[in-house]
Structure formats: C-alpha cells, structure tokens
Amino acid sequence: MTEPVLFELHPTENGRRIAVATLNAEKSHNALSLAMIRLLAPKLAEWREDPDVVCVVLQGAGEKAFCAGGDVVAVHHAIRAGDFAATDAFFREEYALDYAIHSFNKPFLVWAQGIVMGGGVGLLAGASHRVVTERSRIAMPEISIGLYPDVGGSWFLSRLPGRLGIYLGLTGASFNAADALYTGMADHVLPSGLRPDLLPELARLPWQGTERADKRLLSGHLRELGRSASLELAPSAIRAHYDAIQSLTDYDTVDDMVAAITGYNGADEWLRGGAHKLMAGSPTSMRLIVEAQHRARLLSLKEVFEMELTLSRQCCRHPDFAEGVRALLIDKDGAAHWSPASLAEVDEALVASFFEPPSLD
C-alpha cells in the first residue's frame, strides 16, 4: 500500500539535514486526509526538536496540485454515519497541524504548485516561506459546500487589505500567483520548472542551525532565484478589481453585501464568476463567513483556531455541509438543497448557535 505522506532527509554540504514531506495522493489532488494529518503531525514535532534538521519542505506529489483541500468526502461519510467523534477528530487534528506550522521554529518552505484550496491553503498560510508558481490556482471555496473558510482562514482573510477577505470568502474566487503576492498570501514566486533543482540547491547553502539566520538565508536564496528567473506572470485580478471589490462590499449588512455582489451585471468575467458562485452558495455560510471574520479581527491566531473548531463541529451537525459535499463532490449534480433556503431565513439566533460548542452526542 502506498504511504499517503512520504518523508525524506537530505544531507546538506555542511553536515545538516533538510527534511521533506510529500503529500502522496495524486488521484485526489493530494486532498488532506486524517491519515495524512496523523503522519505529518508527529513527524513535524520530531523535526522541530532535531538539531540536525535546519529546514522543512512540504510539497505535493505530481504537478497538478499541492493540496486541493481537506478530505471532505470522508467527513461527509462520517456525518451520514452519525460518527461525530470522527469529524471532531479530523478538524481538531487538522487545526493543530496548521497551528504547528504557523509556530514552527525553523524555516518551513511550502512549494504550492497547481491547485491549492481549503485545507491546502491552511498548510500554506502558516509556512515561513510560501512559494507559488505560474501554475498555482488558489481558492477558499467553502461557500459552495456549506462550510466557511476555516484552517485559520477567518484569521488571515480578515487581515487582508480592505474587505478583500470578506469578498474572497463569500465568492470563493480563484486567484493566481500574482494575486497571492499582492495579498501577502505568498512570499515568493518561482517557475515550476525549478522544482527538481530546489533540494540540491538548498543542500549547498551554509546553514547555521539558528532560526533567524537560517530563515534569512532561505529568504535570500529564494529571492535571488526569483530575480534570476524573471518569470512573466498573468496579471493580478484582485489588484485590478480592488476598487470594485471595495464598492461591492461597502455595506453594513450581509444582506446588502450579498445583494450587491450577486446583482453585478457588468461584462467583467471575474466579477461575474464571483457573483454566480455566491448566488449558488449556502445562505447560512454567507452569514457565518462574515461573522467569523468580524470576530477574528479581535482574536489571536490560537483563539481563532479554537473558534473555528467550534464552528466546524457545529457545521457537521447542521444539514448544509453534508448536503453541499454531496451536491458538489459525490453526486455532482450541482443542485444543493440548502436549509434554510434563503438568506432572510438565517436569523441571528441560528448564526450565534454555531459559535457555541455542540452538546455531547
């Protein structure tokens, strides 16, 4: 049986080691499963304490995807079986892994090539060195499955300029490498063709074994690679549409914001795509996305993960999440039956209930 995560240790020329973890599930676009999480978490803890390991690289197998998100199909099956202990464990352990990456004590490089969605963005967001390529396609499309941008998304989206985080959460809009650099969700962009040479080049660097010096060393190296490559990127749609996004979200209520975004009838395909995705999304998710980001602005990262764990546990106990996964990923009929069916029916009491820990099942 093929291991879902592959681990390697590569020696450096000065006697240190670079640790590499590869998500190894190409057929599912490296969707993050609980099995993967349970392999990664202890290995990262081991590498954190190993003085010989000076850098960690996390990547996905193949060229199509770094990680297309959490394994929500498995979560769906657990929900249908009433196994909330399993769904609780998935989100608890996933968020603990994400937080471990955010707080890692050594250079942590994520090579985010191809599809990077949902749980994949969670793995990317916490890395000290976030690398995207001309092939990167990033999104937090949870609105389409009755969830919300989790994995710390409430924290990092709420800290984007203006109301970009609200817009990206509500529309699930896909964005590219230039967008990721513009929003600060990536640090470096490199040609995808450089990937085979990355580890040999890292092995030649003069690693010191101290966090600050080694992070500077890696940053400098990646910066030079980027400058040497002179990669021509597709333009940033988010930068081009910044003013329009601010206008469409400049409202005091979720209802008015949603009406403005879905009411867009201009010729711009990017804005039309966002309107279409929002229109088809879960009404409950619409309110949860905005409320979670509002609350996250006053919280620490750790507190946000605690809040999101409660939110996600509650989402598993309400009908939209399982129904959204069914419609999009299992039956693929694109005809989710949301409950409540309209935004007007999602009242404050329902929204508030998602932020309270569920009772014991």
Side-chain angles (χ1 to χ4, degrees):
M1 181 179 176
T2 304
E3 287 295 317
V5 185
L6 304 178
F7 298 108
E8 305 168 80
L9 287 172
H10 291 260
T12 68
E13 291 185 357
N14 65 351
R16 308 284 186 169
R17 293 190 293 183
I18 296 168
V20 181
T22 304
L23 306 180
N24 189 37
E26 277 192 72
K27 289 184 179 180
S28 67
H29 295 313
N30 301 316
L32 186 67
S33 65
L34 187 56
M36 286 177 169
I37 294 166
R38 288 178 171 173
L39 290 171
L40 280 165
K43 187 59 71 172
L44 293 189
E46 175 189 324
W47 289 340
R48 181 186 184 100
E49 301 303 321
D50 187 340
D52 288 336
V53 172
V54 290
C55 177
V56 172
V57 176
L58 177 60
Q59 60 185 1
E63 301 299 319
K64 292 184 178 180
F66 163 58
C67 175
D71 187 0
V72 292
V73 172
V75 174
H76 165 92
H77 292 320
I79 293 172
R80 292 301 194 207
D83 189 358
F84 295 113
T87 61
D88 288 355
F90 176 83
F91 287 108
R92 181 180 295 108
E93 295 180 40
E94 181 186 23
Y95 299 167
L97 175 64
D98 293 332
Y99 187 74
I101 294 173
H102 276 274
S103 55
F104 207 71
N105 64 341
K106 299 172 183 180
F108 197 111
L109 188 158
V110 169
W111 184 273
Q113 182 163 304
I115 301 168
V116 188
M117 293 186 180
V121 180
L123 297 174
L124 171 67
S128 63
H129 295 75
R130 301 164 297 175
V131 178
V132 291
T133 79
E134 77 281 3
R135 296 181 180 179
S136 297
R137 299 301 301 174
I138 307 167
M140 298 290 284
E142 288 81 2
I143 184 86
S144 300
I145 57 169
L147 196 59
Y148 66 98
D150 62 330
V151 294
S154 305
W155 189 83
F156 57 75
L157 288 178
S158 68
R159 284 156 173 79
L160 295 184
R163 289 176 294 277
L164 289 181
I166 294 290
Y167 183 85
L168 293 176
L170 286 175
T171 63
S174 175
F175 54 98
N176 61 20
D179 293 318
L181 290 178
Y182 175 67
T183 58
M185 292 180 67
D187 306 299
H188 305 275
V189 58
L190 296 175
S192 56
L194 291 185
R195 185 181 183 186
D197 298 324
L198 180 67
L199 288 173
E201 293 209 17
L202 295 184
R204 289 192 286 269
L205 297 180
W207 300 97
Q208 300 298 305
T210 59
E211 181 178 0
R212 181 174 295 183
D214 286 346
K215 284 183 176 178
R216 285 179 179 172
L217 177 70
L218 182 56
S219 295
H221 179 68
L222 295 174
R223 193 176 299 120
E224 286 304 313
L225 285 178
R227 288 170 179 166
S228 299
S230 300
L231 183 63
E232 288 290 332
L233 293 177
S236 166
I238 293 177
R239 181 194 290 267
H241 294 94
Y242 182 86
D243 290 342
I245 290 169
Q246 298 314 301
S247 177
L248 291 170
T249 54
D250 188 16
Y251 295 92
D252 294 324
T253 69
V254 178
D255 306 71
D256 290 340
M257 223 182 294
V258 169
I261 296 171
T262 57
Y264 175 79
N265 60 1
D268 188 276
E269 289 187 12
W270 194 82
L271 293 175
R272 289 170 66 90
H276 178 76
K277 188 165 287 187
L278 175 56
M279 198 178 304
S282 159
T284 300
S285 292
M286 296 173 194
R287 294 208 191 279
L288 290 181
I289 288 165
V290 176
E291 180 64 19
Q293 289 194 36
H294 282 164
R295 295 190 183 207
R297 289 172 185 160
L298 302 176
L299 301 177
S300 68
L301 177 61
K302 184 177 182 180
E303 290 169 332
V304 167
F305 276 121
E306 292 169 351
M307 177 189 76
E308 289 186 349
L309 178 57
T310 295
L311 271 175
S312 297
R313 292 179 67 204
Q314 287 286 21
C315 285
C316 290
R317 290 158 173 81
H318 287 74
D320 276 9
F321 184 22
E323 170 63 8
V325 175
R326 178 207 65 76
L328 186 68
L329 300 173
I330 297 177
D331 295 339
K332 300 181 181 179
D333 56 23
H337 299 284
W338 304 120
S339 179
S342 70
L343 187 60
E345 296 174 88
V346 185
D347 59 25
E348 291 184 7
L350 177 59
V351 173
S353 71
F354 278 82
F355 292 86
E356 296 295 328
S359 58
L360 295 176
D361 298 298

